[in-house]
Amino acid sequence: MLPPPIDWREAGLGIGETVPEDRRVTGANWRTWPFNRWAFQHTRMLVPSVPLAGADTPAPLPESPADLSGLRFAGEDGETIDWETYVASTYTDAMIVLHRGAVIYETYRNGMTAGTPHHLFSVTKSVVGLVAEQLIADGAITADLPTAAAVPELGTSAFAGTTLRQLLDMTDGIAFDEDYANLNSDVHRYSASYWTPEVAPGGTLPALATLDRREAAPGTAFRYRTPVADAAAWVLRRATGRSLASLVSEHVWRPARCGDAAHFLLDTGGHEIAGSGLNATARDLARLARFLMAGGPVADALIAGGDRGLFAVGAANMRPDHSYRGFWWVNHAPPAALIAMGVYGQRLHIEPENDLAIIRLASTPLPSNIASDPLHGRAFAALRTHLR
């Protein structure tokens, strides 16, 4: 049983002399519960960052509130719960439901507001994937671009022999243990290049160069691993001569008319963290969702999904009926959904067929989203039925 949600203001979490020392959020504890309840809304106070430029005039979000109080579905323990219980019990910081272009539900909890940027973790990967897919669609780069040709520093690593497409679809075959529950796993050592300059001062590029093991030949199996997104970002930087923030601004944020405060966290080498660094408001994610639901070559190719056979090799038991394309999860079970997810409860769920998008930002006690997938699935199914 997970601990109950807390109010960080009542608990005294934060930074400052008035906060008891054992309650202060620090560079060492900010990603752990309960300190994350405060930290995910204040990352710029904890980690170096760079602003993300958006549209001068953000796209309007019309409002058409709907009453969701009548929704009922099975909770985590099999009991019947309502919508409010679901939202409150899942450590929600912000949630928006967008239907037919209008916001029908919007809530902020845990001290968050509509203007507060929230740490998105691996939703960042999906935004970076949009940049890459747009550059490929425009002919600015090729999907078959060899990783080591663009980034020679990776030529002696296991990334040699991989292509940009294989990175974007996570079929590159690099061996990497992303078990957050195991404190000795690769992901915890690698993340020092994000947050711990005294351990890994050079950032992600030298850390990527040390990944020298394979578990599969390139292009033969899917497996989800965070550093692959950082490798893809280095390919994009070198192929374009541009910073990642400028690429996201030009190819995603401004076209979607996102315009609230947003920023990228920087790795220990001073570069934007592509695997986990974007911070943005729930409303800007709603604008991004509406932009993608409008369709177009990139959005249409993403919702069509990746190679389901390769996905089944590496993730058959993780998410049945899914595939992975351009750093997006794709659920092929009707209605088809395009999904961006980040640890600790971040989720952007888009159903183009139903003109429906659900944005959830949270600060859960546990990083993994796998255990909560069934509950969210039941909640979204009840919502879908209600809207019909």
Side-chain angles (χ1 to χ4, degrees), residues 10-331:
E10 294 179 2
L13 300 175
I15 292 178
E17 294 181 359
T18 60
V19 179
E21 188 170 351
D22 63 349
R23 291 280 186 169
R24 291 179 189 170
V25 179
T26 69
N29 68 20
W30 70 271
R31 296 174 307 283
T32 60
W33 198 87
F35 304 100
N36 63 352
R37 297 289 282 163
W38 183 89
F40 290 175
Q41 299 177 45
H42 299 86
T43 59
R44 294 193 72 182
M45 299 177 67
L46 299 158
V47 182
S49 65
V50 63
L52 174 61
D56 295 333
T57 304
L61 291 171
E63 298 181 11
S64 180
D67 181 7
L68 304 184
S69 62
L71 272 66
R72 298 290 186 275
F73 47 93
E76 288 189 305
D77 298 322
E79 77 286 15
T80 299
I81 62 173
D82 59 20
W83 186 259
E84 172 58 27
T85 300
Y86 158 68
V87 173
S89 66
T90 52
Y91 306 90
T92 301
D93 295 330
M95 188 169 185
I96 292 177
V97 177
L98 187 71
H99 187 228
R100 296 177 180 170
V103 174
I104 66 167
Y105 177 84
E106 184 171 15
T107 187
Y108 298 93
R109 316 285 174 102
N110 187 34
M112 190 166 169
T113 72
T116 306
H118 193 284
H119 195 33
L120 303 183
F121 285 99
S122 290
V123 174
T124 308
K125 295 181 178 71
S126 302
V127 173
V128 172
L130 290 176
V131 171
E133 298 293 354
Q134 189 61 60
L135 289 170
I136 292 169
D138 291 344
I141 57 176
T142 173
D144 295 329
L145 176 63
T147 303
V151 191
E153 294 93 330
L154 301 182
T156 59
S157 75
F159 286 100
T162 66
T163 66
L164 177 58
R165 170 51 61 203
Q166 290 162 351
L167 300 182
L168 293 171
D169 295 352
M170 294 215 183
T171 59
D172 50 275
I174 308 298
F176 187 85
D177 179 8
E178 188 133 348
D179 182 0
Y180 287 91
N182 176 9
L183 296 180
N184 294 314
S185 67
D186 293 336
V187 71
H188 292 296
R189 289 192 295 272
Y190 176 79
S191 65
S193 68
Y194 289 172
W195 327 116
T196 317
E198 61 271 23
V199 175
T204 56
L205 186 54
L208 291 167
T210 68
L211 301 181
D212 56 5
R213 296 178 295 114
R214 283 197 174 285
E215 63 181 18
T220 61
F222 163 86
R223 197 156 75 81
Y224 181 89
R225 290 134 306 134
T226 284
V228 177
D230 294 312
W234 277 106
V235 172
L236 298 181
R237 289 186 184 103
R238 293 294 178 77
T240 63
R242 304 269 301 279
S243 72
L244 186 61
S246 70
L247 290 170
V248 170
S249 176
E250 178 181 344
H251 295 285
V252 179
W253 228 238
R254 288 184 182 276
R257 293 182 63 191
C258 302
D260 294 337
H263 58 274
F264 262 102
L265 301 185
L266 301 178
D267 68 16
T268 61
H271 296 93
E272 306 94 332
I273 299 172
S276 185
L278 182 58
N279 290 249
T281 67
R283 289 204 134 221
D284 268 351
L285 290 185
R287 293 180 176 102
L288 178 59
R290 196 166 66 172
F291 174 72
L292 290 172
M293 285 192 288
V298 169
D300 294 346
L302 288 174
I303 196 65
D307 189 312
R308 297 177 69 175
L310 298 185
F311 186 89
V313 171
N317 297 323
M318 179 192 290
R319 293 190 169 95
D321 298 317
H322 282 61
S323 69
Y324 196 82
R325 183 72 167 180
F327 294 147
W328 287 80
W329 302 90
V330 184
N331 187 349

